[in-house]
Amino acid sequence: MEYIDGDTLNDVWLDLPEEEKQNMVNQVVEIMRTMRTKTSFKLIGGISPDGCSCPLVDDRDATSGKGVVDGFGLYDIGPYESVREYLQSVFDRQFHHMDQMLRKGTLSAYEAEYRKEMSECLRNLTLEEAFELIKRKRDDFMAQPYDCKYPFVLRHGDLHGRNVMVSHSSPRRILAILDWDFGGSHALPLADEAFEVSSPDSNENTDVRVKQGDELFNTLLQINKLVGFLPSDDQLTKLVASMKLYVLDCEAKTARGSHVIASVGADPSIDADIPIDTEE
């Protein structure tokens, strides 16, 4: 590991003159373009220090025993030859984690942590309901002939100003990109985007923070535009997100709301044809 003497872009951004900010934007854009267009991999997977492919990390944390389940050999942890193989692992990982926790009892050491995590994510589903929903989604995915063909490119997975080191002196230049724990090769639509250079200064008053927030958001949009927008694949995006617990919970809330509305509309005691007075 090498020590790098510099500042994070996040820490210095708000104090940079406009010319230096634009210089930093141009450097970030060039790095992101290079990652998307000048890297190519045969597999989806993580990147080990020696540069070879290794099991995918993909920002999936190891809390509540998830990392333990990875070692049980119940599903493919990568690398993956196709997007479908990767998506299958997304479904399998959530399914097997909940199955081992709720049904098999092999993760009792993590149960308190797990239930706390679930209580923060699930407001409209019980654990058993969430598990059954995950099982059904997994079965549905396995039954459909889904796949897509995209180049596999380099992705950092946590790319923002806090992980970019820049030189102390002007003109500032990017020295390094830090924290590659979630780095690897991934399908192009899932490459890094929405780069946040910094965040508003919490020591400033509300008006100043709002102004800073607007400027930072505009910078994010500028970087997105200059780098180029990623291929849009709504199906892929939805499939990747569909196993996230907050997504499951939102779906349950929406479904129950629709059910209530449908029930009210079907109630014969409620006259839906209420006459409306109209002027002649």
Side-chain angles (χ1 to χ4, degrees), residues 31-280:
I31 288 171
M32 294 181 70
R33 280 180 179 168
T34 298
M35 291 170 65
R36 291 186 190 181
T37 63
K38 297 182 180 179
T39 62
S40 178
F41 299 85
K42 294 181 179 180
L43 302 172
I44 294 176
I47 300 296
S48 68
D50 62 3
C52 66
S53 187
C54 63
L56 184 67
V57 178
D58 195 32
D59 73 10
R60 300 187 295 186
D61 60 54
T63 62
S64 304
K66 293 186 181 73
V68 175
V69 178
D70 286 353
F72 286 172
L74 298 171
Y75 64 96
D76 186 2
I77 63 171
Y80 309 104
E81 294 184 355
S82 68
V83 175
R84 181 180 178 82
E85 286 185 9
Y86 159 70
L87 287 172
Q88 184 70 61
S89 79
V90 172
F91 283 84
D92 286 347
R93 189 175 203 252
Q94 188 70 283
F95 169 80
H96 284 296
H97 178 243
M98 295 193 76
D99 185 47
Q100 293 295 316
M101 181 68 74
L102 299 176
R103 303 289 180 86
K104 303 299 193 299
T106 57
L107 300 175
S108 57
Y110 303 91
E111 186 170 354
E113 178 187 6
Y114 172 74
R115 292 192 178 277
K116 181 178 183 296
E117 180 183 332
M118 295 303 102
S119 67
E120 294 172 352
C121 296
L122 300 177
R123 307 285 183 180
N124 301 280
L125 288 170
T126 66
L127 287 175
E128 285 295 334
E129 287 172 337
F131 176 74
E132 290 302 322
L133 184 55
I134 287 169
K135 182 178 183 298
R136 185 164 67 249
K137 285 192 172 191
R138 176 174 174 262
D139 291 343
D140 289 345
F141 175 77
M142 293 173 69
Q144 61 178 299
Y146 173 82
D147 202 3
C148 57
K149 303 296 183 182
Y150 291 109
F152 301 155
V153 301
L154 181 62
R155 186 179 81 161
H156 181 276
D158 194 23
L159 191 59
H160 47 67
R162 295 184 298 280
N163 282 331
V164 174
M165 293 293 293
V166 300
S167 58
H168 289 305
S169 58
S170 180
R172 303 265 187 170
R173 59 189 179 86
I174 293 178
L175 302 175
I177 307 295
L178 309 178
D179 193 9
W180 286 85
D181 289 356
F182 301 143
S185 52
H186 224 317
L188 181 59
L190 301 177
D192 295 301
E193 62 175 344
F195 183 95
E196 296 179 352
V197 291
S198 187
S199 54
D201 186 349
S202 59
N203 294 320
E204 293 286 359
N205 62 51
T206 301
D207 290 341
V208 172
R209 292 201 307 272
V210 169
K211 183 179 179 181
Q212 290 174 344
D214 289 342
E215 292 174 349
L216 291 167
F217 182 66
N218 288 333
T219 301
L220 181 151
L221 294 179
Q222 180 191 12
I223 292 173
N224 265 1
K225 184 176 181 180
L226 291 172
V227 175
F229 295 102
L230 293 170
S232 177
D233 190 327
D234 291 341
Q235 185 180 15
L236 175 58
T237 303
K238 289 178 181 178
L239 285 169
V240 171
S242 64
M243 286 293 98
K244 295 183 182 296
L245 293 172
Y246 74 87
V247 172
L248 295 172
D249 198 59
C250 287
E251 289 176 353
K253 181 178 181 180
T254 301
R256 286 176 179 171
S258 300
H259 176 70
V260 170
I261 293 172
S263 299
V264 170
D267 190 339
S269 67
I270 300 176
D271 187 358
D273 298 322
I274 300 175
I276 301 175
D277 291 334
T278 57
E279 295 182 357
E280 294 291 339

